[in-house]
Amino acid sequence: MRSILLILCGGLVAVGVVLAARGTMPTGLATAPATSGDKAALGRSIRDYLMANPEVLVEAMQELERKQDSQRDTVAQKAIQENRSALMSDPESPIVGNPNGDVTIVEFSDYQCPYCKRAHSAVKSVLAADSKVKLVFKDLPILGEPSRIAAFAALAARAQNKHLALHDALMEFSGKLDRDRIMEIAASVGLDIAKLQKDMDDPKLKVLIERNMALASALGVRGTPAFVIGNQFVPGAVDADTLKRMISDARTKG
């Protein structure tokens, strides 16, 4: 929840909207101050009103969040329509589930992100129970160099048909990642490490991650995980029940 300071600095317009809607505009707020003395008086009037009616701050915060969410959704919807093929049909992006599924989930994730790890179990369980879902992985290594190494390793593991095995192992690992630990995890799922390290140097992998970054930027992704489920953009971790509901909504809406 945003701090009161942020609301006062960035959300005064929302406060004004709430006050106007309630018909409780403090005296002088509706007119522009003409002098510095008027400005000081107006500031005191606003402060006194908010101190006496602190619930207005909560309403203003909610109004500001609704506005920001609406703007985010508008940007994301436009980006989904304009980048549908790159999101859902990029042949270089790993997929699991049903390649011809009636609902496609696109997941942006980072192997060091604790929220991604939390969402991973929900996504995995839903895919196991629903044979009509296609999942597209979009590596978004935003949490430092170990994240990039892990992303390159997971993508390079496709050459040995071990992407999903390494993806699951990295997501389910709870310790700190570095290159040595990533290679240990890769070896534990049966990867040839010498070949993996060579394949990680393929320049196509860097290009793919750059494409993922560009897509995330277009969608307005501000952190991981983030999902596109059907035509809907979903920032943040989701639990299994929420995921099932959104898949059902996507089927209903076609």
Side-chain angles (χ1 to χ4, degrees), residues 12 34 40 47 51 74 78 88 99 123-124 130 147 151 154 194 204 210 220-221 223 225 232:
L12 285 177
R47 180 185 181 281
M51 291 295 289
T74 298
K78 184 173 184 289
M88 302 182 180
V123 173
K124 189 174 179 180
D130 191 329
S147 295
K204 291 181 179 179
E210 288 173 350
V221 173
Q232 187 171 355

Side-chain angles (χ1 to χ4, degrees), residues 14-253:
V15 172
V17 169
V18 170
L19 294 178
R22 296 175 63 174
T24 54
M25 191 79 73
T27 302
L29 185 59
T31 59
T35 67
S36 59
D38 291 336
K39 292 178 182 179
L42 176 59
R44 287 193 297 272
S45 177
I46 294 172
R47 180 185 181 281
D48 290 346
Y49 184 87
L50 293 178
M51 291 295 289
N53 301 274
E55 70 276 7
V56 172
L57 292 173
V58 176
E59 293 179 47
M61 179 180 65
Q62 292 170 341
E63 177 66 26
L64 182 60
E65 289 179 341
R66 280 193 294 268
K67 182 177 180 181
Q68 291 175 334
D69 288 348
S70 177
Q71 292 172 337
R72 180 203 67 202
D73 291 344
T74 298
V75 169
Q77 285 294 319
K78 184 173 184 289
I80 291 170
Q81 297 305 319
E82 292 178 349
N83 299 279
R84 182 169 296 279
S85 178
L87 281 167
M88 302 182 180
S89 305
D90 185 343
E92 299 301 322
S93 293
I95 67 167
V96 294
N98 186 338
N100 300 309
D102 60 354
V103 173
T104 297
I105 299 173
V106 180
E107 178 183 1
F108 291 87
S109 61
D110 183 305
Y111 288 112
Q112 292 195 106
C113 167
Y115 301 103
C116 298
K117 293 177 183 291
R118 185 183 305 170
H120 170 71
S121 60
V123 173
K124 189 174 179 180
S125 68
V126 169
L127 256 69
D130 191 329
S131 62
K132 296 182 179 180
V133 175
K134 171 184 174 181
L135 174 64
V136 181
F137 294 108
K138 298 289 186 183
D139 286 282
L140 197 67
I142 57 176
L143 296 176
E145 186 60 19
S147 295
R148 288 185 60 82
I149 295 170
F152 276 98
L155 291 169
R158 293 182 74 192
Q160 299 182 52
N161 296 315
K162 291 284 188 178
H163 173 269
L164 183 59
L166 183 54
H167 171 83
D168 286 348
L170 288 169
M171 279 298 178
E172 292 161 12
F173 178 71
S174 60
K176 184 177 180 180
L177 289 177
D178 57 26
R179 176 177 283 274
D180 289 344
R181 184 55 55 85
I182 292 165
M183 292 302 110
E184 289 175 9
I185 294 170
S188 75
V189 298
L191 280 152
D192 179 328
I193 299 304
K195 176 172 173 50
L196 179 69
Q197 291 178 330
K198 179 180 178 181
D199 291 336
M200 287 170 64
D201 291 331
D202 187 338
K204 291 181 179 179
L205 302 187
K206 182 174 182 293
V207 172
L208 176 57
I209 288 176
E210 288 173 350
R211 289 206 303 272
N212 292 348
M213 293 287 186
L215 282 171
S217 178
L219 285 165
V221 173
R222 296 176 182 174
T224 53
F227 300 87
V228 174
I229 302 174
N231 293 314
Q232 187 171 355
F233 173 62
V234 185
V238 291
D239 60 26
D241 288 341
T242 300
L243 191 55
K244 289 175 185 177
R245 185 176 67 252
M246 299 189 78
I247 291 169
S248 178
D249 289 346
R251 287 191 173 120
T252 300
K253 295 174 182 177

